[in-house]
Structure formats: C-alpha cells, structure tokens
Amino acid sequence: MTAEVQTADYELLGPELRQEIAKYFPRYPERRAVLLPALHLVQEQLGYIPQQAIAELARFLEIHPAEIADVVSFYSFFRRDRPLGKFRLWVCRSLSCACRGGESLLAYVSQKLGIAPGQTTPDGLFTLEAAECLGACDFAPAIMVNDTLHGPMTFEMVDELLASLRKEAGQSPGV
Amino acid sequence: MTEFEPVLLANKDKDRSWTIQVYEGSGGYATLRHVLKEKSPEEVRKAVDSARLRGRGGAGFLTALKWSFLPKDHPGPFYMCVNADESEPGTFCNRVQLECDPHQVLEGIILSCYATGVQRAYIYLRYEYHLAFKRLTEAIKEAYDKNFLGRNIRGHDFSLDIYVHRGAGAYICGEETGLLSSLEGRRPYPRSKPPYPTVRGLFGKPTIINNVETLACVRHILERGPEWFRSIGTPPPPDDPQDPGSFGPKIFCLSGHVNRPGVYELPLGIPCGEVIERYGGGVWKGRRVKAVVVGGISTGLLSASELETPLDFSGPIRAGCLGLGTGGVVVLDETFPIVEVMYNGCRFFAHESCGQCTPCREGVPYALEVIERIRRGEGRLVDLDTLSEIGQAIGITPGTTICGLADGAAWVIRTCVSKFREELEDHIRRTNPQGYRRRLPPGTIVLPQGAPAGIVTRKVQTQWTIYPNYQLEMINKPTGN
C-alpha cells in the first residue's frame, strides 16, 4: 500500500483497520470521500471515535483533523466521549411511532434500564437512544437494536427483548 | 383505471424476491438486454420524457428535464447519486423496495446511467437500513457476476460501477446538495443553487441525483412503454399550463392509526380517503380521522373534511399542503391532539436542522419552545399568531434559507395553525384560562432582569420576570392524553 500504511506511529488505527479503510480508496476520486465509511469502521472497532483516532485518521486520509471533527460532530450516530454499550437501543419517537405509543415506550425502556436517552448502563451493556424516525413506520412503535429491527413493540416484548439480550451477553436475564 | 396492476411491488411477496434468480425469473433484466441491443441513449431519454416521469423524492421535478440539463460538451466524468437516504417521518417505501426487490432498482439505475452517459453511480443509503444494505450489496455482487455491471456490460461498450455509500443518521443528507457534501466527506451542509448539481455536483462534476423509486419507474417505462405509464394517474388540468400532470404508479406508505399499516402501490391521483378505507382497513378502534399527513411530515396536514383530496403532485397543493412529498401517509385519529403533532414535527426539524441558515436554526427551536409552552398549559392565544408568522417566514419559498428542508417545519406549523386553529385555541383556553402569564404564587417578588443569580429559574434571556420557588401549576390538566 501507500507509504503511510507502513509508518509505525498509529496507536489506535491498527494495520488491519487501515487496510480495511484503504479498500475504499479506489471507489472515490478523492481520499476525503472515504471519511464516512472510515468513521463507521473506526466506531465499529473502538466503540467510539476518540480524538486520537481523529488525528490518526486525518493523517491517513491526508486532511486536517479539524475537518474530521467537523464531520464527526455533525452526525448523531458517532460518539466521541466514551465507548457505546454492547447493544445500542434506538427507540423511535417520530410521529408514526409516537401516535402508537413510542414516547411511553421510550420512557418504559429508560425506566427499565435506569438510564436516560443518550446514556450507557454502568455495566456497558446497553446504550439508549431516542431515534428520530427509523423508517419503520409499518412496525410502529419500533426499536432497533444494533442492526436488528423489532416491532411493533409492547411493554412485555421489551422485557423479553432485554432479557434475551442479557442472556446473549452472558448475564442472568432476571436483572 | 379499473384494472390497476402493481409493477413496483409486484415481486414483494415472492419467496427470496431479492435474489437475481427470482428477479430474472419474473422478466427482470430483459428490458436492459433489449435496450442495450436495440436502443440508443437518446431513445431512452425520449421515452422517459414522453412518459412525463416526475421525481418521487418529494419535489416532483420532471426526470427527463433534469437529465437534459447535463452539459453537452463536458469532458466528464458524470456521476449519478441515488438518493436512498429516506429519513422523512412516515416514509419507508425505499426501504421496502431495496429489501424486497433491489435488482429492480439496480436495473433502473443501469438504464438511467446508460441514458445519461454516467459511468459511476453512488447509492447513498441511510445507515438505519441494515437489511436493505445487506441485500443491496449482495444484489450488486450478483449483477457484477452476470456482467450487468462492470466493464463493457453484456458486450456493449457501456461500463458502469455502482457503490453503496452509507450515511450516518442525518435528515439533511436527503437534501440533494447536502447528500453531495456528505458523500464528499464534508460536513453535510446544503449548497446554494445555482450551480445546480447537473452542472457542478459531486467532486465538481456534473451529477444526476434521483430517488430510488423514480429510477425503478424508469425500468417499467422502458418495458411497457410511455403510453402505458401515461395511462395511469391524472392528466394536467387544462387551465394550468405549468402542471405536467401526475402519471404512473406510486408507492404509498401508510402508517399511524390505521388497521393495516404498510406499503401500497396505487395509481397517482387516488383519493386520500380511499387509501385509508380500502387499503388501510380504516382507522383503528373504530374511530374517525382527525387529520392526515399527506406525504411525510414536512408536507403538512389534511383535515378530516379534505379526505377527498387526490394524492397526486398537485392535489395536496390545492388543499393547502406543500405537495405530494414522499407518499408517506400518516393517519391520526380523533383523540390525537394537534399540539402533539406540532410538537413532534417541530422537535424533529429542530433536531435535524443542519444549522447553516439562521431562520431554520433559530426559528424552528423557537417555534418548538412556544409549542412546548402551549403543550404544558401555559399557552397564550397570541402564540398562535407568532407561530403562524414563523411558519410564513422560514424556508426556501419565502427565500430565507438555502435548502427546502426548512419548509418542512414551516408547513407543519402553517397547516396546523390554519386548519386546526379552533382546537389549538380551545386547548389554550382550557389549560390556561387566565391567558397571558403564569399564575404567580402569593407573595412572589417580581425582579427585573439581571437580578442576582441563584433564584433564576429558567431562560433569563427571554423571561422578564423571575419567580423564586415557583412550582409549575397546571390549571385544568389537559385530558385525553
């Protein structure tokens, strides 16, 4: 690959990750355009996008770190402060979901997990997010867990869902 | 229009409908083979032009006209961006199309790229559509394997590469120039037009941006002919030479308080009430309709008396809405408060405003604050005038913002205030009979602005008076919510 793949001073962006990012280069005429796919890869691997990763990515993509911070801070999907939980729960509260109980579903999940939207449980298992339309209005009220869509949800189904997710993570489901 | 045969969703319920075997089994890619062999790009453009296909993404711009804006003597390359960043609340038809029939969309893209001389297309897919992403990537791989994509497609000297580019959860990326900025790896601010993307778009090159559903229609126009396409829908009214008519099938996404939410492919011009009654199975719990969002929340609301409105490109405009939008029909029953609709809509637009233009960045949150106040029972009748003023002032129609997404917020406010003013006034009178300010607890000292900190409750900038130990007092709590 290019010269900067070989330089050793990357702490967070390991060679495999850089390799993965470099796979996107031929798709675009400019390196900068790889930024969004690269950020997805970084967040997938690290759980969030720390400042150090931004600096390293900037070197790799040959743009200024400020430009990356500019982009990262725009999208609600990216997190910069601390790693996300193992499961990221998006509870939709847009109109179609709201009129079928999305708001109370969000309140219920929030109560169940003991965290407010935007927070992560202390055990690092769940991150709760209030979503603005998941595009799943036919499944209203909908919840998305990482990349799986669930709906239409009821309170009982939320209990079951949380229990099965806990089980998946190897915790006792009764918590 | 007696026998309407769905084409866009024809494969939806078939087993493994997303695979190339099923798609080719039902006649897929036959059109592409035929067109590559028999027709010139010019003829394809002519067919789309005479079908008078209009963009399905919201604006309803004539597709062939958009294509014709590409510069003739440009060295290239040209790009195509397929807008699959469907984030409008109430809309999910692109998701269903990409999940159930990705090859249909791909064939439409290939045909359109052939017609316009594009050699590289990007599908901008919203990140939330994980299943669609999976199936679309598989479909692209299958298409490459069969040489429907790649170099010299089917022995013809036309080459095309398609890449999927995933977004990261931002509504603004559905705006065409915002989409371009996002794809280029910049902060997704929309750009001023002109220059239009067809002249200077992605990476500074001429770029065509079309919606998923529009491109899927292209395939069917070429298969069945423009006459077939024009036999569906509503012709232009004779008294309006500006209106190119609304032809073809359209996917309507039905959600909210209906018995059978889902996607329905219907001819344009179908009355809104018929969609709800005949296809959606009526309003749930035997209730009546109070309001209907016509085409995604940004288009505004129809009231119960306007259910006869035909859902085509001009019908909702005549009924005082922004337009057909994306075809996301959200039904609200008689118990759902209009204040909630306004609150929900404005919260969405306040959250998704990119922050580039002041009227949208400041105006929408301000409106949201006013609505919040009405909602918690502290509204004043004059607030409705303020809201309606904001609704008139922001957006691309009054010319105060760069992109049209601010209009979305404006139309929600405008239609709610103009069509449901009575209900809103009732709500304000009921929840805040004293009208003009909060009821102060006895003995409260009203201090001027700039008083010592510590007793400030909230919003020093906008509040003239400060109430120590003030408890929110609800007079006649709102019922039914």
Side-chain angles (χ1 to χ4, degrees):
Chain A
M1 288 315 302
T2 45
E4 61 269 38
V5 180
Q6 283 138 22
T7 46
D9 50 359
Y10 285 100
E11 272 175 51
L12 292 171
L13 269 63
E16 293 90 19
L17 188 55
R18 271 176 287 150
Q19 209 59 256
E20 281 292 308
I21 295 171
K23 275 189 197 161
Y24 283 91
F25 287 159
R27 293 187 174 197
Y28 306 95
E30 285 176 16
R31 255 188 195 202
R32 174 199 291 272
V34 178
L35 182 54
L36 214 48
L39 289 172
H40 278 302
L41 288 170
V42 171
Q43 175 148 308
E44 209 170 277
Q45 184 133 12
L46 306 177
Y48 70 130
I49 300 172
Q51 195 56 41
Q52 176 67 19
I54 290 179
E56 292 179 15
L57 195 59
R59 202 168 342 131
F60 192 53
L61 298 181
E62 295 166 353
I63 46 180
H64 198 278
E67 293 179 283
I68 299 190
D70 193 29
V71 170
V72 174
S73 60
F74 187 88
Y75 297 101
S76 54
F77 185 81
F78 298 125
R79 279 300 182 82
R80 293 205 293 172
D81 43 356
R82 62 177 68 86
L84 292 159
K86 187 170 160 55
F87 302 109
R88 199 173 189 186
L89 269 67
W90 296 90
V91 184
C92 185
R93 54 177 191 168
S94 262
L95 189 61
S96 300
C97 283
C99 65
R100 281 179 171 249
E103 298 272 3
S104 46
L105 192 71
L106 179 64
Y108 184 77
V109 180
S110 155
Q111 220 171 52
K112 268 277 171 193
L113 296 175
I115 47 171
Q119 294 178 338
T120 305
T121 49
D123 57 5
L125 212 52
F126 298 106
T127 300
L128 180 63
E129 304 268 10
E132 292 292 359
C133 202
L134 295 172
C137 315
D138 43 348
F139 296 110
I143 293 184
M144 197 162 69
V145 183
N146 292 348
D147 54 4
T148 323
L149 195 66
H150 299 269
M153 297 300 282
T154 59
F155 290 164
E156 293 80 50
M157 284 165 77
V158 170
D159 293 345
E160 282 166 32
L161 177 69
L162 293 181
S164 74
L165 291 175
R166 285 207 168 98
K167 210 169 150 197
E168 197 185 315
Q171 265 194 13
S172 71
V175 188
Chain B
M1 216 195 292
T2 43
E3 279 300 307
F4 175 73
E5 180 200 349
V7 289
L8 296 169
L9 295 177
N11 285 344
K12 181 174 149 271
D13 296 321
K14 286 188 186 155
D15 190 33
R16 296 182 59 74
S17 61
W18 52 91
T19 56
I20 198 163
Q21 288 84 6
V22 176
Y23 184 65
E24 284 199 294
S26 60
Y29 287 119
T31 318
L32 179 65
R33 288 169 208 253
H34 173 77
V35 167
L36 285 182
K37 221 180 277 168
E38 310 276 335
K39 286 189 178 166
S40 67
E42 177 68 40
E43 285 173 294
V44 178
R45 289 202 297 271
K46 270 217 175 98
V48 175
D49 186 30
S50 70
R52 293 204 225 156
L53 171 65
R54 294 175 73 174
R56 265 41 176 170
F61 196 77
L62 282 165
T63 306
L65 188 62
K66 194 191 259 181
W67 291 358
S68 73
F69 292 152
L70 282 175
K72 299 285 179 294
D73 47 357
H74 195 281
F78 292 1
Y79 292 112
M80 168 167 286
C81 290
V82 183
N83 190 344
D85 188 76
E86 177 183 59
S87 317
E88 177 81 32
T91 316
F92 48 95
C93 49
N94 293 173
R95 190 197 87 225
V96 175
Q97 279 188 291
L98 291 170
E99 281 178 3
C100 300
D101 211 351
H103 282 288
Q104 181 189 192
V105 178
L106 288 183
E107 191 175 355
I109 297 172
I110 301 167
L111 286 166
S112 310
C113 289
Y114 174 69
T116 48
V118 171
Q119 304 217 332
R120 190 179 278 199
Y122 296 99
I123 302 178
Y124 192 100
L125 182 70
R126 74 179 291 204
Y127 194 78
E128 284 83 344
Y129 289 176
H130 296 279
L131 184 62
F133 173 69
K134 201 172 133 247
R135 293 195 176 153
L136 189 59
T137 355
E138 272 168 32
I140 290 175
K141 209 171 144 283
E142 286 173 328
Y144 267 109
D145 288 345
K146 289 221 163 190
N147 195 220
F148 290 122
L149 284 174
R151 291 212 61 76
N152 295 340
I153 293 172
R154 293 269 153 187
H156 199 276
D157 64 348
F158 161 62
S159 307
L160 176 67
D161 287 310
I162 297 185
Y163 301 113
V164 182
H165 187 97
R166 301 180 82 182
Y171 179 66
I172 199 73
C173 297
E175 203 281 335
E176 53 179 12
T177 52
L179 186 152
L180 296 179
S181 302
S182 173
L183 223 157
E184 289 175 359
R186 296 169 203 277
R187 197 174 171 91
Y189 282 156
R191 307 169 186 175
S192 299
K193 291 182 270 192
Y196 286 90
T198 37
V199 178
R200 197 194 302 160
L202 192 64
F203 307 115
K205 304 287 186 233
T207 306
I208 292 172
I209 304 158
N210 279 140
N211 178 267
V212 167
E213 198 185 334
T214 316
L215 294 169
C217 286
V218 170
R219 184 225 136 162
H220 296 288
I221 290 169
L222 291 167
E223 187 185 330
R224 290 157 186 256
E227 294 74 29
W228 161 81
F229 197 78
R230 278 209 314 272
S231 72
I232 304 167
T234 39
D239 53 338
D240 188 358
Q242 295 289 320
D243 189 337
S246 314
F247 296 112
K250 170 88 188 85
I251 303 177
F252 291 101
C253 319
L254 200 53
S255 65
H257 294 146
V258 282
N259 284 320
R260 289 196 300 271
V263 283
Y264 300 96
E265 184 187 342
L266 301 167
L268 277 171
I270 188 166
C272 184
E274 193 183 330
V275 179
I276 298 165
E277 288 306 322
R278 196 163 146 203
Y279 299 95
V283 185
W284 74 346
K285 300 177 181 173
R287 291 182 188 156
R288 279 174 305 169
V289 178
K290 178 193 268 183
V292 180
V293 172
V294 229
I297 190 139
S298 64
T299 50
L301 277 80
L302 290 178
S303 65
S305 57
E306 293 163 332
L307 288 183
E308 282 309 304
T309 306
L311 293 182
D312 55 27
F313 287 105
S314 54
I317 298 175
R318 285 196 298 271
C321 293
L322 177 61
L324 178 68
T326 52
V329 179
V330 186
V331 181
L332 304 166
D333 75 17
E334 55 195 336
T335 63
F336 199 74
I338 287 299
V339 174
E340 289 299 313
V341 182
M342 291 177 80
Y343 174 68
N344 201 296
C346 279
R347 189 186 60 197
F348 176 81
F349 286 105
H351 183 261
E352 297 297 341
S353 173
C354 76
Q356 193 178 198
C357 316
T358 313
C360 174
R361 182 188 64 235
E362 303 294 330
V364 182
Y366 186 82
L368 179 66
E369 218 168 277
V370 175
I371 294 162
E372 260 179 336
R373 198 174 62 226
I374 297 176
R375 188 167 168 256
R376 62 168 188 265
E378 291 170 18
R380 297 168 295 193
L381 292 177
V382 68
D383 285 343
L384 296 180
D385 297 328
T386 313
L387 285 174
S388 135
E389 201 178 306
I390 297 173
Q392 300 292 340
I394 54 177
I396 205 166
T397 335
T400 55
T401 58
I402 288 174
C403 85
L405 296 198
D407 296 61
W411 281 88
V412 178
I413 301 170
R414 264 193 230 183
T415 52
C416 282
V417 175
S418 65
K419 294 182 183 178
F420 300 93
R421 191 170 181 119
E422 223 164 277
E423 180 186 329
L424 292 169
E425 283 184 359
D426 271 358
H427 175 92
I428 292 169
R429 286 207 183 91
R430 184 164 45 85
T431 54
N432 190 11
Q434 291 189 317
Y436 290 90
R437 69 174 47 187
R438 299 173 180 188
R439 195 162 68 176
L440 302 179
T444 306
I445 307 156
V446 178
L447 299 169
Q449 199 174 8
I455 48 167
V456 175
T457 49
R458 58 186 296 279
K459 293 283 172 205
V460 185
Q461 317 93 300
T462 52
Q463 214 86 21
W464 245 89
T465 50
I466 301 159
Y467 319 118
N469 304 323
Y470 176 70
Q471 293 282 314
L472 190 102
E473 199 174 342
M474 290 279 262
I475 310 147
N476 295 336
K477 276 193 177 166
T479 50
N481 175 24

